[in-house]
Amino acid sequence: QVQLVESGGGLVQPGGSLSLSCAASGSIFSIETMSWYRQAPGKQRELVAAITKGGSTDYTDSVKGRFTISRDNAKRTVSLQMNSPKPEDTAVYYCNADVRHTYYLTPRNYWGQGTQVTVSS
C-alpha cells in the first residue's frame, strides 16, 4: 500500500558529506513522523534522526551537530544530510514513516528497503 524508496547511499570519505533521500508513494492521506534508522553489521537497528509533520526534530547523540534531517510534506520526501561522517557511521540506512491511509485510522508504520552507507578512506 505504501512504498518508501531510499536513494543516495554509497561510499564517502571521513569528513566528507553525503545526502540520503526517501520518497513515499502509494495510498497516503498524510504522513506523521518520518525517520532514519541504521543497522551496522552485528548490531541492532537504531534510530538516527526523526522529524514530525510539524518539523520538530530529534537526533541520536552520536550524530548531533553533524547530520540534519528535513522533509518536504508536499513531495512526501525526507532527507538526511550527513556532514563529517565517521567510519562508525557505516551502516545500512533505512527510511521509516508513520502513514495515515485515512484521517480516522491510526497511522501504520512502513520501512524502506535500505541503502548502504560506507565511510572509508
Side-chain angles (χ1 to χ4, degrees), residues 12-27:
V12 60
Q13 292 187 342
S17 64
L18 190 70
S19 181
L20 306 181
S21 294
C22 172
S25 63
S27 177

Side-chain angles (χ1 to χ4, degrees), residues 18-120:
L18 190 70
S19 181
L20 306 181
S21 294
C22 172
S25 63
S27 177
I28 299 172
F29 174 76
S30 67
I31 304 177
E32 305 303 315
T33 300
M34 302 185 81
S35 308
W36 287 96
Y37 285 74
R38 67 186 178 188
Q39 187 167 20
K43 295 188 177 181
Q44 289 188 331
R45 190 172 298 187
E46 65 169 349
L47 176 65
V48 177
I51 184 168
T52 66
K53 187 167 59 176
S56 297
T57 59
D58 190 29
Y59 298 90
T60 191
D61 287 345
S62 63
V63 308
K64 285 180 180 177
R66 299 188 297 120
F67 292 6
T68 302
I69 190 171
S70 60
R71 65 187 284 174
D72 185 322
N73 291 330
K75 294 182 179 179
R76 297 173 175 173
T77 60
V78 62
S79 299
L80 186 69
Q81 178 65 39
M82 305 171 61
N83 294 331
S84 301
K86 304 175 182 179
E88 51 263 42
D89 295 319
T90 295
V92 178
Y93 283 71
Y94 297 90
C95 177
N96 180 274
D98 293 321
V99 177
R100 286 188 185 274
H101 295 290
T102 66
Y103 72 94
Y104 56 86
L105 291 177
T106 301
R108 290 185 61 183
N109 190 257
Y110 291 91
W111 291 93
Q113 81 285 357
T115 185
Q116 176 69 47
V117 172
T118 302
V119 184
S120 175

